Amino acid sequence: MRVRGRLFRKYAVLFVILVSGALLTSGLVEIYFSYRENEAALVSLQREKALSAASKIEQFIKEIERQIGWTTQAMWGARGVALDQRRFDSLRLLRQVPAITEISHLDASGREQLRISRLAMDMVGSRADFSREPKFLEAKAGKIHFSPVSFRKESEPYMTIAMAGSGPDAGVAVAEVNLKFIWDVISQIKIGKGGFAYVVDSRGTLIAHPDISLVLQKTALSRLPQVQAALAGPSRPGEERDEVTIARDLQERRVLTAHATIAPLGWSVFVEQPLTEAFAPLYSAILRTVGLLFVGLGISVLASLFLARKMVTPIQALQAGAARIGAGALDHRIEVRTGDELEALADQFNRMTAQLQESYATLEQKVEERTRELTEALEQQTATAEILRAISGSPTDIQPVLDAVAERAARLCNAWDGTILLSEENALRVVAHHGPIDVPIGLRVPINRETVGGRAFIDRQTVHIEDLMEAADFPEGRELARQFSNRTTLSTPLLREGAPIGVILIRRTEVRPFSDKQIALLKTFADQ
C-alpha cells in the first residue's frame, strides 16, 4: 500500500507538471500574441476611423474650394457686368454652400470691390486695401490660402479660404467658412464607451473636440507625444521612428491612439480610447486562460483527459450551436462527428433549424410584400384624396391641381422629376414641374413623334422608354435627355372627351424602368 501510494503521487505529480507546464506555456504564448494582435487590430480600426473622418473633412474643404473657384471666372474688365456677374455668382454660392457665411471679391490690386454676407450688410465698391494681407498675397502667388481657425463671438469655428482667378488681371475670391461641420463629424465618432476623436491644427492647437469648451479655450496639445509625432510628419528614408500607439491624454490617462493627416490643411485627426477599455477583451481572455489551466490541472489529477476530450468537445459544440440558434442565427449548422447519439442529436437540431429558417423566411417575405402593398395603396389613396381636395378647394384655379399632380406623380412613382405640359398652338407648353432642376414654366416643346411627350400626345396612349439614350427613333428626345440628364422616361396623355389636351411626363436619371403599378398610378393622375 505504501508503494502504491508513492507511485500514485509520483505519476500524479508528473502528469500534473507536464499538463500544467504545457498549459502555462501555451497560455503565456497565447497572451503575448493575443496582445500584439489585439493592439494591431485596434490601432488599425482606429486609424480607419481617423482616415474616414479626415477624408470627410478634406472632401468638405475641397467641395468649398470647387464652389469658390466658379466665382473667380468673371474678369474685371467690364466693371458693371463683372460686378453683376460676381454678385449673382456669390448669391448662388451662399445658397448652394450653407457653410460659407461671407464672400468677398478683391480686384487684381487687392482692393475690395464686392462683399456678400449672410450676417452683415452687403457692400459694393468699398475699395478696402487687402494687398498686403496673406490671403491676397498667397492667392495671387497661385496658392490656396487657408487661414488659422478663429472663433466668431467665442462660439463657432471659422476659417478663411482665398483663391485667385486665372490670368494676370484676375482678382481674388475670399470666403469665410463656418467649420461647424467638422465638429459634427468629430462628435459622431464613437469608440466604445470612453473613446472619442479630435482635430488639431499644424501648431498642435485643438480646433475640434466633443467637449467644445476645450476648443474655446484654445487648448494646446503639442506637448502630447502622439501629437508631437503627428506634427513631425512621416519618417524620412533611413530614419527610425517608433509609431506612438499608446500614450497619455490631457487627463493623464493611458490611451490607445491613432491619427490621420489632412494634407491640404496640415491638420491631424486623432482617435483615442482608454487603454483599459480597449484591452478589456484581452483581460477576459487572460482570465479564461487561467481558468483553463485550473481545469486542466483537475483533469490531469483525475486522469480523465482523454474521456473528457471525447465527451466535452461534442457537447460544447451542441451547446454553442444551440445558443447561436436560440439567438436567431438560423443559418448555423452544428458539426458533430462522433457516430453515436450526440451526432444524431446534432442532426436533429440541424433539421429543426432548417425547418424554422424556411418558415421564418417565408413569413418575413409575405409580411414584407403585404406591408409594401398596403403602404403603396395608402400613399396612392392619400395622394388621390389630396388632389381631389385641391380640385374642390379651388374649382376655378387649375394651377394648384397641376402642381399637386406633378409633385405626387414624381414622389409616388420614385421619379427624378415630374412635368405637366398642355397643348397650345401646335406645341406642348410646361405648366407645372416638380424636381431638382429648374424647368421654366412656359417652356414650349414641339408636338412630334421624336419626343416621348409628343408621341404620347399624338398616339393618345402611354409611352414608356426604358433608356432614352438608346432609343433610335427619338432624336429630339435624346437631345433633351442630354440636356436634363434623364434616361428612363414615362409619359401618358391627358384626354378630355377622348381628345388630347396635354401630357404628364416623369423621368429618372438612371436606367430603371417604371413598374406596372407606377404606370397605372400615372394614368390615374391623368384621369383626375
Side-chain angles (χ1 to χ4, degrees):
M1 293 296 295
R2 187 177 305 170
V3 174
R4 290 182 61 188
R6 288 196 300 270
L7 188 61
F8 174 79
R9 287 194 297 272
K10 181 176 66 175
Y11 282 114
V13 171
L14 179 60
F15 193 74
V16 168
I17 290 174
L18 290 175
V19 173
S20 61
L23 288 174
L24 184 60
T25 302
S26 175
L28 292 176
V29 171
E30 180 67 19
I31 290 172
Y32 175 79
F33 285 105
S34 294
Y35 176 85
R36 292 298 182 186
E37 292 170 359
N38 273 271
E39 181 182 9
L42 289 169
V43 170
S44 176
L45 177 62
Q46 293 196 17
R47 186 176 292 112
E48 288 294 327
K49 292 188 176 183
L51 287 171
S52 175
S55 176
K56 290 181 180 179
I57 296 172
E58 186 172 352
Q59 289 300 319
F60 170 72
I61 297 299
K62 285 186 177 298
E63 178 61 19
I64 291 178
E65 293 176 18
R66 188 181 69 82
Q67 295 288 350
I68 296 173
W70 284 105
T71 67
T72 64
Q73 302 302 316
M75 301 298 292
W76 286 108
R79 176 175 176 80
V81 175
L83 280 175
D84 290 341
Q85 181 63 39
R86 287 178 181 268
R87 182 180 181 87
F88 175 78
D89 291 344
S90 300
L91 291 172
R92 183 174 62 180
L93 177 66
L94 294 183
R95 184 169 62 252
Q96 293 178 347
V97 187
I100 298 179
T101 60
E102 185 176 290
I103 180 76
S104 301
H105 294 278
L106 313 181
D107 61 18
S109 64
R111 295 189 177 275
E112 185 182 77
Q113 300 293 342
L114 177 66
R115 184 192 305 166
I116 305 297
S117 175
R118 300 179 191 272
L119 307 177
M121 293 184 61
D122 298 345
M123 295 190 65
V124 178
S126 68
R127 297 192 60 80
D129 188 5
F130 298 95
S131 60
R132 297 183 179 276
E133 295 198 6
K135 61 184 179 183
F136 177 78
L137 297 176
E138 290 186 14
K140 290 297 289 182
K143 301 179 181 179
I144 300 178
H145 170 76
F146 300 101
S147 73
V149 177
S150 60
F151 293 85
R152 184 167 294 182
K153 297 181 180 180
E154 300 300 320
S155 60
E156 295 181 344
Y158 276 80
M159 180 179 69
T160 301
I161 300 178
M163 298 177 61
S166 58
D169 296 329
V172 174
V174 182
E176 298 294 332
V177 181
N178 190 329
L179 300 179
K180 186 172 180 285
F181 169 85
I182 298 177
W183 184 84
D184 293 337
V185 172
I186 293 302
S187 299
Q188 292 172 6
I189 298 178
K190 301 296 182 184
I191 306 96
K193 296 180 179 179
F196 57 88
Y198 59 89
V199 182
V200 299
D201 63 11
S202 58
R203 297 169 299 181
T205 302
L206 192 64
I207 60 176
H209 192 281
D211 186 358
I212 191 63
S213 63
L214 295 176
V215 179
L216 297 178
Q217 294 170 13
K218 300 179 178 59
T219 305
L221 302 181
S222 55
R223 62 182 176 83
L224 298 180
Q226 63 269 36
V227 176
Q228 293 176 359
L231 297 180
S235 59
R236 294 182 291 272
E239 180 184 5
E240 294 185 1
R241 186 189 300 170
D242 293 334
E243 182 181 7
V244 178
T245 57
I246 297 178
R248 294 187 180 275
D249 61 6
L250 282 174
Q251 289 75 36
E252 295 299 325
R253 297 178 303 176
R254 287 171 58 81
V255 294
L256 191 69
T257 179
H259 79 279
T261 302
I262 306 174
L265 305 175
W267 299 352
S268 297
V269 179
F270 287 85
V271 176
E272 294 182 355
Q273 185 179 17
L275 201 61
T276 54
E277 180 183 338
F279 286 162
L282 181 61
Y283 299 150
S284 300
I286 294 175
L287 292 178
R288 288 195 299 269
T289 301
V290 174
L292 288 175
L293 176 61
F294 283 103
V295 171
L297 290 174
I299 293 175
S300 65
V301 172
L302 297 176
S304 8
L305 180 62
F306 179 79
L307 180 61
R309 182 171 60 85
K310 287 290 185 180
M311 292 296 297
V312 170
T313 300
I315 292 175
Q316 288 178 339
L318 284 169
Q319 181 185 9
R324 291 188 61 180
I325 294 170
L330 298 181
D331 57 343
H332 179 68
R333 297 295 181 265
I334 302 173
E335 296 291 336
V336 174
R337 296 291 182 265
T338 59
D340 54 17
E341 291 82 0
L342 291 176
E343 183 175 350
L345 180 59
D347 292 339
Q348 185 64 33
F349 261 107
N350 291 335
R351 286 192 294 271
M352 178 188 66
T353 304
Q355 294 173 357
L356 286 174
Q357 185 179 15
E358 182 179 359
S359 299
Y360 281 176
T362 304
L363 179 60
E364 289 176 356
Q365 182 178 3
K366 291 180 179 179
V367 170
E368 183 179 354
E369 292 177 354
R370 184 56 179 164
T371 301
R372 184 168 56 252
E373 292 175 357
L374 291 175
T375 301
E376 292 177 354
L378 180 59
E379 289 181 346
Q380 294 175 10
Q381 291 178 2
T382 302
T384 302
E386 291 175 352
I387 293 173
L388 292 175
R389 185 162 53 251
I391 295 173
S392 62
S394 56
T396 61
D397 186 5
I398 196 63
Q399 190 61 44
V401 179
L402 297 177
D403 292 337
V405 171
E407 188 274 333
R408 301 306 191 280
R411 177 169 58 84
L412 294 180
C413 294
N414 195 16
W416 183 53
D417 70 348
T419 307
I420 297 180
L421 303 96
L422 297 182
S423 63
E424 182 180 278
E425 298 179 357
N426 297 323
L428 292 175
R429 185 174 65 88
V430 176
V431 297
H433 175 262
H434 175 81
I437 64 171
D438 185 16
V439 175
I441 301 299
L443 176 67
R444 297 170 63 84
V445 179
I447 299 177
N448 55 50
R449 299 181 61 81
E450 296 182 356
T451 64
V452 178
R455 184 167 296 188
F457 183 87
I458 294 172
D459 294 345
R460 304 182 186 182
Q461 62 183 9
T462 299
V463 177
H464 183 201
I465 305 301
E466 295 184 2
D467 188 356
L468 194 54
M469 298 301 295
E470 299 296 332
D473 52 346
F474 288 92
E476 290 191 24
R478 289 202 310 274
E479 186 62 31
L480 291 174
R482 292 189 187 96
Q483 180 181 355
F484 295 106
S485 302
N486 61 290
R487 301 294 291 272
T488 299
T489 307
L490 174 65
S491 180
T492 191
L494 300 174
L495 303 177
R496 183 168 60 192
E497 297 180 356
I501 62 172
V503 295
I504 300 179
L505 184 72
I506 58 176
R507 302 179 293 187
R508 287 173 174 163
T509 56
E510 72 278 10
V511 178
R512 182 161 55 91
F514 292 95
S515 65
D516 293 340
K517 290 185 178 179
Q518 291 169 339
I519 295 174
L521 179 60
L522 192 65
K523 291 180 179 178
T524 300
F525 284 144
D527 293 340
Q528 292 176 353

